[in-house]
Amino acid sequence: MRRPIIAGNWKLNKTPKESKALSKEILKKVQDVKNVDILVCPVFTSLSVVDQVIKGSVVKLGAQNCYWENSGAFTGEVSPQMIKELGCGYVIIGHSERRAMFSETNETVNKKIKAALTDNLIPILCVGETLSEREAKETLEVIRSHVEGGLNGLDKQQAKNLIIAYEPLWAIGTGKVATPEQAEEVHKFIRELLEKLYDKSISDAVRIQYGGSVKPDNAEELMKKPNIDGALIGGASLKADSFAEIVAITSKLV
Ligand code: PGA
């Protein structure tokens, strides 16, 4: 019912030259896929070269972060307008690495989401619990606070346009993937929460990606779950073969 979206989060990897090569390779392998949204999110400095490669194709461009102001004395920041002009349609907001290492909070994440939406970017709101939170059985409370905090003050129309990525921190870059059942439990919880916060038209429409050690050999079982609408992929998105394989697996399930 919802169109799946497979996104590559390249994190702090690939120079512009390397990004150009990787995006060319990816494009060659996925260019005929019509039933899945495909997204790559390189570092800021590679956005422009990657845009030149994928422009007009099935592969779309996203950034990994943005600030909430469009200009001013904010040394080192990059605005929604700027990434939009470089060809971005999407932006990852509140990735757990940014929350943990760059002091992002629900409040700053919320400001960034609002700013991104104002400039017609589709935000991918990242939510997820740590291992100790999971072990203390706090997972759903943490997810609730990330979702409610991120969406604070957003109206129905704004909420409808965004994507949520559930990424348990203990599964990111660890090779330790959540079981499809663990992931589905949280995805279902997020969908029910969206229905409570808005209504069924919103909870039915919003796509919820899973992220955390998604690989070709575990993608199918995850993507088969009714509330999992795609993946946000780190490590496996840095190789054209594995990224394209996950796209192909998802496409076959549609
Ligand atoms: P991973 O990263 O696929 O390398 O676990 C996912 C993410 O952080 O988005």
Side-chain angles (χ1 to χ4, degrees), residues 5 33 38 50 52 89 100 145 159 170 235:
I5 175 161
V33 176
I38 305 163
V50 172
Q52 284 161 27
S145 109
W170 46 272

Side-chain angles (χ1 to χ4, degrees), residues 9 11 95 97 167 171-174 211-215 232-236:
N9 173 12
K11 309 192 179 183
H95 189 279
E97 286 151 16
E167 299 202 306
I172 294 180
T174 57
S213 298
V214 177
K215 305 272 182 299
L232 182 55
I233 307 162

Side-chain angles (χ1 to χ4, degrees), residues 10 14 18-26 237-240:
W10 294 3
K14 306 287 173 190
E18 292 166 346
S19 300
K20 186 174 178 181
L22 176 59
S23 54
K24 274 188 182 168
E25 249 191 287
I26 288 175
S237 73
L238 293 171
K239 296 254 182 314

Side-chain angles (χ1 to χ4, degrees), residues 20 23-24 27 46-57 59 61 86-87:
K20 186 174 178 181
S23 54
K24 274 188 182 168
L27 180 57
S46 289
L47 289 173
S48 193
V49 285
V50 172
D51 182 53
Q52 284 161 27
V53 173
I54 63 176
K55 210 184 205 66
S57 79
V59 182
L61 190 65
L86 291 183

